[in-house]
């Protein structure tokens, strides 16, 4: 392994002083060499600050790190989630690998999709008639995937209106329920554990709001069937899944129920088919042409070799406005780890900080820093080559802006170019000298562009699985367990101890001075 890292770093030394401008000038075939395809999906790495030999060394590193071995172990159902003693089989939800003996994936899927169709067709109704609205109550992986996909596939949402309530801030539920009819609203409680504080508090709230209708108009999705029964949701409306599905990998299971009610069983099947096409590619394509591997290794290059800690994820697609939030959980909860699989401190930086907003809006807020700030923030652009049928018109403007941002980041505008332009525009030498530094773009800032034909259910499934597998590959190279999330537990436990003090004014035992002072201030100000 060490020699592979040494090799990768040697390429970095070779490339560090060579600007992207020069790399493009030296190699007219750079796009052909560094962009990769799976059908209509294009991943263009040519604006990353690497070249083919460097990428070759990164792929060799992935191979030496045992990415294929761990991938195949995951596919075989080995318990690669070592700290929880669980297999990692979200690929089984799209029939890409076998599920454990006795776990009836197809039957469970058919059951929740039948229910979705019954709701859509008005065969299962509320007290006041066919459901007009569905409220999904869940958080983290029980919210972000279906909420992201429901937004992304808005043109396909021809069932009842979908709403997603996650936050334990009562405002979220109050604002969502305002204007809904309790006699025509279905509440879906989605929680793998059926113990999550936020979800259970919101589930109780919605049960009260539904009143006499609650007995009929609530459904649940969980691995905790006893918990659902204890809450009062009848077995006929409880949809299960399995402990081998991680929360942030669960939108393909019954956790996608609300989404399925929105888009229907056929489109849900297309979403799964898209993910399955990426699974097939991930499981079989040589690492040199394997899109998740290449994307992951470009990320390793950014993070561990170039030392850039952040990633801006910028879809040029308004309907992907929740995609960065979704990937934040997928990536940061998976790879935000500080020890390796055997519990020893990890020797290098792991998961990057991911954030983002759709373009072009982002251009008018934080892109200034990306272009001229003192930190380099690599950008992942995502765009569809053509709009959904009803949205024609603006799409060329959108795509031109997407490509222009990649160009501006990579090639910038030199001081000499700025000065020449200003001279042509008749500016005085003094003015040119004063303004040129402000108007110069350093360039040499990396980006990856992911492009596909159209944002339909298949493309969304494939894109999402691409990111899932990218996260897997990076976790394998860093040697961390990407499938646990112990880092979220301490805060949950501490909140439990603070609730009596905040809610009831109970004395705070052994709190630090800051927490005690803030709790006192909350009591004073909150009344
Ligand atoms: O707190 C983190 C977490 O456990 C996530 O991993 C998970 O997606 C989320 O909470 C929700 O958990 P559940 O589906 O069990 O309510």
């Amino acid at each position: 392994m060490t020699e592979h890292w040494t090799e990768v770093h040697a390429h970095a030394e070779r490339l560090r002083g060579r600007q992207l401008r020069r790399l493009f000038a030296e190699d007219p075939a750079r796009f052909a060499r560094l962009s990769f395809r799976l059908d209509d999906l294009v991943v263009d790495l040519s604006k990353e600050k690497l070249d083919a030999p460097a990428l070759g060394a990164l792929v060799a590193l992935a191979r030496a790190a045992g990415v294929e071995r761990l991938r195949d172990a995951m596919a075989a159902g080995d318990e690669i989630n070592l700290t929880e003693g669980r297999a990692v089989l979200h690929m089984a939800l799209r029939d890409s690998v076998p599920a454990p003996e006795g776990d009836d994936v197809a039957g469970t899927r058919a059951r929740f999709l039948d229910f979705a169709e019954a709701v859509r067709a008005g065969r299962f109704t509320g007290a006041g008639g066919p459901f007009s609205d569905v409220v999904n109550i869940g958080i983290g992986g029980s919210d972000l995937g279906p909420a992201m996909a429901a937004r992304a596939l808005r043109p396909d949402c021809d069932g009842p209106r979908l709403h997603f309530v996650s936050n334990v801030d009562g405002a979220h539920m109050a604002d969502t329920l305002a204007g809904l009819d309790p006699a025509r609203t279905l509440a879906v409680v989605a929680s793998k554990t059926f113990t999550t504080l936020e979800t259970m508090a919101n589930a109780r709230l919605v049960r009260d709001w539904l009143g006499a209708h609650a007995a009929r108009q609530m459904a649940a999705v969980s691995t905790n069937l006893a918990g659902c029964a204890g809450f009062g949701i009848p077995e006929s409306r409880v949809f299960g899944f399995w402990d081998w599905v991680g929360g942030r990998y669960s939108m393909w299971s019954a956790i996608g129920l609300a989404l399925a009610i929105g888009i229907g069983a056929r489109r849900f099947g297309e979403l799964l088919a898209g993910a399955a096409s990426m699974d097939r590619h991930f499981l079989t394509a040589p690492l040199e042409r394997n899109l998740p591997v290449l994307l992951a290794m470009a990320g390793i290059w950014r993070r561990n070799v170039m030392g850039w800690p952040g990633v801006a994820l910028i879809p040029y697609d308004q309907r992907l406005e929740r995609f960065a939030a979704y990937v934040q959980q997928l990536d940061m909860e998976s790879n935000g780890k500080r020890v390796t699989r055997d519990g020893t401190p990890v020797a290098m930086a792991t998961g990057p900080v991911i954030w983002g907003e759709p373009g072009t809006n982002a251009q008018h807020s934080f892109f200034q820093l990306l272009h001229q700030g003192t930190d380099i923030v690599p950008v992942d652009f995502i765009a569809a080559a053509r709009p959904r049928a009803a949205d024609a018109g603006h799409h060329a403007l959108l795509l031109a802006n997407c490509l222009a941002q990649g160009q501006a980041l990579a090639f910038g505008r030199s001081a000499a170019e700025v000065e020449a332009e200003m001279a042509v525009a008749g500016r005085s030498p003094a003015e040119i000298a004063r303004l040129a530094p402000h108007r110069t773009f350093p360039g040499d800032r990396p980006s990856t562009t992911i492009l596909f034909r159209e944002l339909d259910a298949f493309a969304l499934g494939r894109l999402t699985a691409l990111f899932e597998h990218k996260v897997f590959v990076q976790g394998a190279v860093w040697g961390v367990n990407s499938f646990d999330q112990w880092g979220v537990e301490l805060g949950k436990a501490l909140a439990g101890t603070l609730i009596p003090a905040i809610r009831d004014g109970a004395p705070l035992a052994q709190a630090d001075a800051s927490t005690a002072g803030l709790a006192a201030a909350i009591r004073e100000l909150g009344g």
Side-chain angles (χ1 to χ4, degrees):
M1 272 288 275
T2 325
E3 70 270 21
H4 289 283
W5 278 110
T6 308
E7 170 85 11
V8 165
H9 280 285
H11 284 289
E13 283 323 302
R14 181 175 58 77
L15 289 166
R16 213 177 282 278
R18 290 159 82 175
Q19 300 259 315
L20 278 166
R21 272 184 186 226
R22 185 170 146 202
L23 294 174
F24 271 89
E26 282 172 357
D27 182 6
R30 194 173 158 82
F31 176 77
R33 231 183 280 288
L34 290 171
S35 67
F36 302 88
R37 278 186 84 141
L38 169 61
D39 305 324
D40 62 295
L41 176 66
V42 180
V43 175
D44 175 21
L45 299 179
S46 66
K47 292 201 192 78
E48 292 294 333
K49 212 173 145 62
L50 40 69
D51 59 8
L55 195 56
L58 285 162
V59 169
L61 170 63
R63 189 166 277 124
V67 165
E68 291 153 297
R69 220 171 24 251
L70 195 65
R71 176 196 65 189
D72 296 345
M74 171 168 72
D78 293 358
E79 289 184 357
I80 64 164
N81 177 357
L82 296 172
T83 59
E84 298 179 318
R86 289 176 182 168
V88 175
L89 281 169
H90 45 277
M91 282 194 288
L93 299 170
R94 41 241 194 184
D95 300 331
S96 299
V97 299
E101 189 87 28
D103 291 345
D104 182 11
V105 171
T108 307
R109 185 194 303 139
R111 222 185 121 236
F112 84 77
L113 291 179
D114 280 353
F115 179 72
E117 286 299 327
V119 171
R120 285 166 61 80
R123 291 196 302 277
F124 178 68
T125 65
F131 289 108
S132 55
D133 297 89
V134 175
V135 180
N136 186 83
I137 298 150
I139 197 164
S142 300
D143 165 75
L144 286 163
M148 175 278 287
R151 179 69 186 102
L153 301 178
R154 186 65 195 271
D156 298 320
C157 286
D158 51 7
R161 285 185 298 255
L162 302 183
H163 312 267
F164 293 84
V165 176
S166 51
N167 204 327
V168 76
D169 181 347
H172 200 177
M173 185 65 88
D175 292 352
T176 303
L177 297 183
L180 300 196
D181 176 358
R184 295 189 58 197
T185 298
L186 175 71
V188 176
V189 184
S191 174
K192 182 176 173 181
T193 56
F194 223 73
T195 57
T196 304
L197 174 125
E198 293 91 333
T199 301
M200 298 323 295
N202 280 329
R204 285 191 291 272
L205 205 59
V206 98
R207 187 175 58 186
D208 292 347
W209 178 78
L210 287 170
H213 308 315
R216 180 178 175 81
Q217 294 177 204
M218 290 189 83
V221 183
S222 185
T223 58
N224 177 359
L225 305 183
C228 300
F231 190 85
I233 301 180
E235 213 182 319
S236 59
R237 286 198 302 281
V238 175
F239 303 93
F241 57 112
W242 305 273
D243 71 356
W244 43 261
V245 184
R248 52 194 174 273
Y249 300 88
S250 65
M251 64 181 265
W252 324 99
S253 71
I255 287 291
L257 174 62
L259 173 67
I261 294 173
I263 64 176
R266 185 172 63 81
R267 291 249 157 64
F268 196 87
E270 288 166 9
L271 183 80
L272 298 183
S277 84
M278 182 53 70
D279 294 340
R280 266 194 308 281
H281 169 78
F282 177 53
L283 291 170
T284 59
L287 300 196
E288 287 73 12
R289 292 201 306 277
N290 197 304
L291 298 187
V293 173
L294 294 166
L295 204 54
M297 297 318 290
I300 298 268
W301 175 264
R302 291 166 167 183
R303 180 80 175 111
N304 299 113
V305 184
M306 293 295 168
W308 300 319
V311 175
L313 186 53
I314 314 292
Y316 271 68
D317 195 313
Q318 190 59 31
R319 295 198 180 107
L320 286 176
E321 66 182 334
R322 295 297 288 157
F323 196 70
Y326 170 79
V327 173
Q328 270 173 341
Q329 188 206 13
L330 176 66
D331 202 316
M332 296 168 79
E333 200 172 74
S334 296
N335 286 340
K337 304 288 164 66
R338 54 178 290 283
V339 295
T340 59
R341 279 193 284 274
D342 63 12
T344 55
V346 76
M348 62 193 99
T350 60
V353 177
I354 297 174
W355 51 281
E357 282 287 324
T360 60
N361 293 13
Q363 290 174 213
H364 300 275
S365 61
F366 53 78
F367 264 64
Q368 167 62 38
L369 184 147
L370 303 190
H371 287 296
Q372 289 187 317
T374 49
D375 286 306
I376 291 193
V377 183
V379 179
D380 287 343
F381 293 107
I382 301 176
R386 71 179 186 211
R388 298 292 297 258
D391 318 321
H394 288 27
H395 209 65
L397 307 182
L398 184 71
L399 293 183
N401 271 281
C402 178
L403 298 195
Q405 291 302 316
Q407 272 186 313
L409 286 164
F411 307 120
R413 200 159 58 148
S414 68
E417 287 167 339
V418 172
E419 285 160 12
E421 267 176 35
M422 291 181 77
V424 169
R427 301 299 188 95
S428 72
E431 207 181 1
I432 292 174
R434 188 170 64 82
L435 289 180
H438 299 277
R439 298 174 65 158
T440 298
F441 285 61
D444 205 32
R445 297 183 176 215
S447 65
T448 287
T449 302
I450 299 171
L451 184 71
F452 46 88
R453 185 172 292 118
E454 185 176 312
L455 184 62
D456 55 18
F458 184 93
L460 182 70
R462 187 179 54 183
L463 178 72
T464 307
L466 170 67
F467 276 80
E468 282 183 350
H469 297 322
K470 180 211 86 145
V471 166
F472 172 87
V473 171
Q474 293 187 331
V477 172
W478 288 322
V480 301
N481 177 6
S482 301
F483 301 102
D484 61 11
Q485 56 283 320
W486 300 103
V488 301
E489 294 305 325
L490 176 60
K492 289 184 189 173
L494 292 174
T497 66
L498 289 169
I499 289 168
I502 307 276
R503 189 185 51 200
D504 316 321
L508 252 187
Q510 293 176 339
D512 62 275
S514 168
T515 307
L518 290 169
I522 288 170
R523 282 199 298 276
E524 179 206 328
L525 301 171

